[in-house]
Amino acid sequence: MFPLSSAAPSLSQQAQAYVQGARYLAALNPEQRAGVETLDGPVLVLAGAGTGKTRVLTTRIAHILATGRARAYEILAVTFTNKAAREMRERVEALVGEGVEAIQWLGTFHAISAKILRRHAELVGLKPNFTILDTDDQIRLLKQALKAENIDDKRWPARALAHQIDAWKNRGLSPAQVPAGEAHSFANGKGGVLYALYQERLKILNAVDFGDLLLESLRLFRERPDVLAEFHRRFKYILVDEYQDTNTAQYLWLRLIAQGRRNLCCVGDDDQSVYGWRGAEVENILRFEQDFPGAKIVRLERNYRSTGHILAAASHLIAHNEGRLGKTLFTDGALGDKPTVTGVWDSEEEARAVGEEIEQLQRRGHALEEIAILVRASFQMREFEERFITLGLPYRVIGGPRFYERAEIRDALAYLRCVSSPADDLAFERIVNTPKRGLGDATLQLLHEYARRESVPLTHAARVLTESEEIRPKPRATLRGFIDDIERWRALSETKPHHELAETVLEESGYTDMWREEKTPDAAGRLENLKELVRAMEEFPDLSAFLEHVSLVMEVDEAAGSERVSIMTLHGAKGLEFETVFLPGWEEGLFPHQRSLDDNGRAGLEEERRLAYVGLTRAKRRAKIFFATNRRIHGLWQATMPSRFIDELPAANVEVVESASASQYGAYGVSRFAGLDRYSSGYDTPGWRRAKEAKSQPQGKRAAPPIIEGRVLSKSTASAPFEKGARVMHLKFGPGTVQEVDGDKLSVAFDHAGTKMVKAAFLERG
DNA sequence: CCTAGGCTCCTTTTT
DNA sequence: GGAGCCTAGG
């Protein structure tokens, strides 16, 4: 991070730091230094956006180590994401030098809880090798529970129950602790029963879900003071990142574990709390002083990231929230460019305008790596992607489906789980008929009945039933073959290295063949992913170490480095920074999102506003806000109004600009800053009239024909025949050359979008 | 047992 | 508009 201003610590302070032999302190400003050096007792570091919070955390750890206050294994450092944990570890190592003993207890809440539970599993009724289930397994298990209770899963979907149970777990509530009223809220009073049933089932499977990692270790702390005391003795210093994101369970967990020596340092920013919808309680950070009497509060308000106007705009916006701890960010740096606000006709023009501005920046020598488009909801991404493909502009979508969430990877893992633990019913169910073996519901039903009756795992039931006459001969033989395979693989796992075993299993089970035979375009990619999985396994000593990694560290390394524009959600952008940030879709209903307002009222609105604040403060030098007056929502074109957040920006620090593409194509851009307050009164603008016309059209149809590169693609010109080699233009894919002609279908090699089959009606000579 | 077609939902996302 | 999920029919 480059300070925009001259270094804040005074010369004498810097010199002092060197005298003490603590070189790392010299780089800090006085507030950061207080955050590092206030080691005794509870400390809350309120770190505004871009004020160097990670630096404080990492330097604090280095300082504790350097002063000999604690050894590396006596420090507990908790983060929310694996990414944050990794970054913290790397930066601490850079400060103290590698080779120093690793900080064992640095990790996510979940990873650390898992580590604690593996050590004391028996005390909470688990075996140390318990399985950690992900959302997918969780849902399937709940579906079974619903079925067992004869509940219509149409009316009461398993997904909704999963959310409810998660919400209870986030609040630290076991089935017995759920308030009666809430327990009855699901499925006409069955909610509590289902929760209890689900927990029972987990115990039988020797499994926990993510919420349980926290909840069970919390229970352990509560029920076993001796165990808790052991952790009190061990952890001399505790650090927590992103404290504003803690949920109640995490808060209770922390409070218990920090009770010992009370050397707790929490770092966070109440203005960046954007995870309320998954259980985060801003109140935790607001209440810190009451929770930890005698706590010192350190405020980091000197911003090293953004230029003045951006900071002013963000600060003014967030000031509309009530119930803040209150910080005033400032910078000694230049005022820089004002954030811009641009109105466009619709989302298509928005993508076009953003694309054009990016090309302009590119021409002026700006790095694409330093440009990001931050959207509220992921459906907004597609339009930008399409536009960028047309332009041949390299981009990267961040936060797509994660590697370990892909079906082929989960299937492969299910095979391995089956081999490594015979009792893993969920894994068995997942792959028993993948690839298709002719073992359908009917057979599985028989296995389930037997397994339930005898309280044995499904594989065991399968073994027994293949010896009886209960299953018809054909599936019986298949089933026997299959469990023989599993047992053979299990025997093999004694001798074969685990990654070779994985290869064998995937080959012999016919799983890789299944994809090889599949003709869909993504089959090749899936096979690639499977290879990548086997490669990744080599880095782990054994199968169980790998499976632990997979269940807790579900992510892929982003292929960073290459020159690309980033497209991501505002949530995903938290903690990142870019020279230029595009903020499209600032419209009522989308941002703030209607659902947020409907479900959570004022609190929802404030969280949305914090999200806007997060978005603006990602920008180092340029923030560009857009709103469209028409957007397709659920397939219907709707007229939209600019976001109230636009009107909450300080006019003095914001500039209204016309859309780059509007001037070219005669489209339409407007805002109250343009002088006419068109939106709060009257609705009589060309755009509004067109919006009304568009609305009265049959659904989904635009009034105007599609425009590309300033030309109208009309049917008459488009249907003229094309010959091989002709240069053509396509609405979505841009320019290309005709390769093959087959009636009205053409194979076209597009300059930027590869070769595709397209209809002649969508092409124009180019 | 498998597949096609109909129905429903649609914010954000980590572990 | 479209993905995913379930049901009905082959």
Side-chain angles (χ1 to χ4, degrees):
Chain A
M1 170 176 331
F2 291 95
L4 292 166
S5 57
S6 55
S10 71
L11 292 175
S12 65
Q13 280 167 335
Q14 287 182 57
Q16 193 75 29
Y18 286 117
V19 172
Q20 292 161 352
R23 223 191 151 78
Y24 50 83
L25 292 176
L28 304 178
N29 68 36
E31 295 76 34
Q32 291 174 330
R33 215 171 142 165
V36 167
E37 292 185 305
T38 313
L39 292 177
D40 298 315
V43 181
L44 176 65
V45 178
L46 276 176
T51 56
K53 121 200 123 102
T54 311
R55 163 172 277 178
V56 167
L57 270 175
T58 51
T59 313
R60 185 178 170 96
I61 294 176
H63 189 57
I64 291 169
L65 294 173
T67 53
R69 291 258 200 150
R71 304 286 297 274
Y73 56 83
E74 295 170 321
I75 296 173
L76 171 66
V78 202
T79 65
F80 273 84
T81 63
N82 293 298
K83 195 171 142 210
R86 198 181 334 113
E87 191 187 335
M88 201 189 289
R89 183 180 297 284
E90 280 164 10
R91 287 178 64 169
V92 171
E93 275 168 8
L95 278 173
V96 301
E98 279 184 68
V100 183
E101 51 197 351
I103 300 155
Q104 296 173 31
W105 295 92
L106 186 162
T108 61
F109 273 103
H110 293 86
I112 285 170
S113 294
K115 196 165 170 177
I116 291 172
L117 279 186
R118 296 237 186 254
R119 295 190 169 195
H120 302 284
E122 278 86 0
L123 299 181
V124 291
L126 290 164
K127 292 186 212 97
N129 67 341
F130 60 81
T131 315
I132 301 168
L133 301 186
D134 61 23
T135 327
D136 234 63
D137 297 323
Q138 206 183 341
I139 302 263
R140 270 185 306 139
L141 212 50
L142 287 169
K143 268 194 187 137
Q144 291 170 13
L146 287 169
K147 207 170 235 167
E149 289 291 296
N150 265 325
I151 293 163
D152 177 13
D153 64 353
K154 268 269 161 52
R155 211 161 118 60
W156 305 100
R159 196 164 292 277
L161 180 58
H163 280 138
Q164 179 62 75
I165 290 178
D166 273 348
W168 283 328
K169 288 186 174 175
N170 284 338
R171 285 159 58 200
L173 301 173
S174 65
Q177 293 167 315
V178 173
E182 287 181 43
H184 292 296
S185 65
F186 190 89
N188 305 323
K190 289 263 182 74
V193 178
L194 287 163
Y195 181 15
L197 204 68
Y198 169 69
Q199 291 304 115
E200 259 171 53
R201 194 78 188 108
L202 285 175
K203 280 278 147 66
I204 293 168
L205 292 170
N206 189 32
V208 296
D209 63 20
F210 286 121
D212 284 338
L213 290 172
L214 260 302
L215 212 54
E216 291 292 351
S217 48
L218 185 60
R219 188 154 73 88
L220 175 71
F221 293 161
R222 281 177 170 158
E223 291 178 1
R224 295 299 298 255
D226 52 324
V227 175
L228 181 61
E230 191 188 305
F231 287 111
H232 286 164
R233 273 194 301 280
R234 172 186 297 269
F235 297 130
K236 294 191 175 160
Y237 292 94
I238 300 174
L239 298 92
V240 185
D241 191 17
E242 305 275 18
Y243 187 64
Q244 78 282 352
D245 287 337
T246 46
N247 62 37
T248 302
Q250 288 157 340
Y251 160 78
L252 294 169
W253 186 99
L254 263 179
R255 212 173 57 171
L256 280 176
I257 211 164
Q259 245 169 24
R261 305 183 187 249
R262 298 187 78 246
N263 293 330
L264 171 71
C265 175
C266 293
V267 179
D269 180 0
D270 51 321
D271 291 333
Q272 291 187 66
S273 164
V274 292
Y275 285 114
W277 51 274
R278 64 177 200 218
E281 298 277 348
V282 212
E283 285 71 29
N284 289 345
I285 196 168
L286 301 176
R287 246 190 5 240
F288 190 85
E289 281 179 282
Q290 288 95 288
D291 286 338
F292 300 96
K296 299 207 176 65
I297 311 281
V298 176
R299 280 192 161 74
L300 304 184
E301 298 176 304
R302 179 185 294 271
N303 178 290
Y304 293 103
R305 181 185 294 151
S306 310
T307 45
H309 283 307
I310 295 172
L311 217 51
S315 300
H316 194 274
L317 175 74
I318 198 64
H320 289 79
N321 273 5
E322 288 170 6
R324 305 170 58 218
L325 289 169
K327 282 181 273 52
T328 315
L329 293 185
F330 66 94
T331 175
D332 295 340
L335 278 173
D337 295 344
K338 291 180 180 178
T340 63
V341 174
T342 304
V344 290
W345 162 245
D346 64 7
S347 50
E348 203 179 300
E349 194 199 318
E350 183 179 58
R352 207 156 54 219
V354 168
E356 231 147 274
E357 286 207 35
I358 292 174
E359 287 191 317
Q360 273 175 31
L361 289 167
Q362 199 179 15
R363 279 194 290 275
R364 283 191 267 142
H366 293 262
L368 295 183
E369 205 62 26
E370 279 293 333
I371 299 174
I373 295 146
L374 310 184
V375 297
R376 175 64 183 83
S378 29
F379 78 84
Q380 294 172 260
M381 291 179 178
R382 181 155 50 196
E383 213 134 10
F384 289 100
E385 286 190 66
E386 283 173 2
R387 186 63 195 156
F388 293 171
I389 288 170
T390 309
L391 294 173
L393 193 67
Y395 68 88
R396 149 175 54 228
V397 172
I398 295 179
R402 279 174 295 279
F403 186 68
Y404 293 113
E405 273 173 13
R406 292 163 203 215
E408 69 277 17
I409 300 301
R410 297 183 43 79
D411 289 340
L413 290 172
Y415 270 103
L416 296 173
R417 276 164 58 187
C418 253
V419 171
S420 92
S421 85
D424 198 332
D425 283 2
L426 289 163
F428 179 79
E429 274 176 77
R430 186 179 175 98
I431 44 105
V432 66
N433 201 31
T434 313
K436 303 264 184 307
R437 302 190 169 85
L439 296 172
D441 277 348
T443 313
L444 210 56
Q445 205 48 51
L446 288 171
L447 297 188
H448 264 299
E449 274 164 30
Y450 184 88
R452 188 173 293 264
R453 200 163 58 231
E454 304 290 323
S455 305
V456 292
L458 287 173
T459 44
H460 186 126
R463 170 58 70 197
V464 174
L465 289 178
T466 52
E467 328 249 299
S468 78
E469 300 291 313
E470 282 181 66
I471 309 178
R472 288 167 191 282
K474 214 167 133 199
R476 197 199 307 162
T478 319
L479 188 58
R480 164 163 307 170
F482 184 56
I483 53 177
D484 283 347
D485 281 343
I486 293 179
E487 275 164 27
R488 195 180 66 253
W489 295 326
R490 193 171 297 142
L492 219 53
S493 70
E494 305 289 327
T495 53
K496 242 184 196 295
H498 57 290
H499 58 275
E500 285 177 27
L501 175 77
E503 235 168 341
T504 309
V505 171
L506 294 177
E507 267 323 312
E508 292 187 2
S509 62
Y511 189 73
T512 31
D513 281 338
M514 179 182 97
W515 289 116
R516 276 196 274 265
E517 282 154 27
E518 175 110 17
K519 291 285 167 276
T520 49
D522 54 344
R526 293 181 191 267
L527 286 165
E528 251 330 290
N529 289 338
L530 290 171
K531 277 197 197 133
E532 178 58 36
L533 178 79
V534 173
R535 232 172 291 145
M537 288 177 74
E538 292 173 26
E539 290 169 33
F540 294 85
D542 55 49
L543 194 55
S544 64
F546 176 71
L547 290 174
E548 175 89 357
H549 170 84
V550 166
S551 41
L552 289 173
V553 191
M554 295 257 251
E555 62 180 317
V556 225
D557 297 330
E558 278 296 340
S562 50
E563 265 297 294
R564 287 162 189 280
V565 176
S566 299
I567 306 176
M568 64 182 96
T569 62
L570 287 158
H571 285 93
K574 205 169 136 208
L576 303 177
E577 57 179 24
F578 302 89
E579 291 280 323
T580 306
V581 167
F582 288 90
L583 299 163
W586 281 41
E587 295 132 38
E588 284 295 303
L590 177 58
F591 191 37
H593 201 281
Q594 194 55 46
R595 186 87 178 250
S596 203
L597 306 182
D598 290 347
D599 295 354
N600 297 303
R602 172 150 198 111
L605 174 64
E606 295 212 344
E607 182 154 314
E608 295 284 306
R609 194 178 278 117
R610 290 194 289 268
L611 206 47
Y613 173 79
V614 166
L616 277 169
T617 53
R618 299 310 94 195
K620 291 197 255 186
R621 291 175 188 280
R622 277 168 298 276
K624 293 164 181 289
I625 297 165
F626 290 79
F627 67 90
T629 50
N630 294 281
R631 188 172 293 275
R632 190 155 54 192
I633 298 163
H634 309 323
L636 281 173
W637 282 97
Q638 314 241 292
T640 48
M641 303 231 300
S643 169
R644 68 191 76 187
F645 298 150
I646 291 176
D647 286 336
E648 290 174 1
L649 296 169
N653 303 95
V654 176
E655 185 186 359
V656 170
V657 298
E658 199 181 1
S659 158
S661 63
S663 51
Q664 202 173 334
Y665 305 115
Y668 148 86
V670 74
S671 154
R672 83 184 165 106
F673 296 108
L676 287 165
D677 200 346
R678 284 160 162 156
Y679 282 97
S680 44
S681 66
Y683 296 112
D684 189 26
T685 63
W688 179 250
R689 284 197 295 273
R690 282 162 71 183
K692 276 198 293 198
E693 282 161 26
K695 252 185 135 175
S696 59
Q697 293 270 326
Q699 25 169 276
K701 293 283 191 313
R702 278 277 306 272
I707 294 168
I708 182 152
E709 307 297 87
R711 276 184 298 210
V712 175
L713 297 179
S714 64
K715 265 262 156 59
S716 57
T717 57
S719 53
F722 296 95
E723 70 288 349
K724 211 170 151 177
R727 290 290 292 165
V728 291
M729 177 64 93
H730 185 270
L731 179 62
K732 245 184 201 150
F733 305 123
T737 310
V738 176
Q739 304 287 301
E740 299 287 342
V741 184
D742 174 20
D744 65 337
K745 280 189 233 126
L746 305 167
S747 166
V748 179
F750 291 106
D751 299 355
H752 305 301
T755 302
K756 292 192 178 354
M757 291 295 291
V758 293
K759 285 199 148 188
F762 293 108
L763 291 171
E764 193 196 1
R765 289 189 180 276

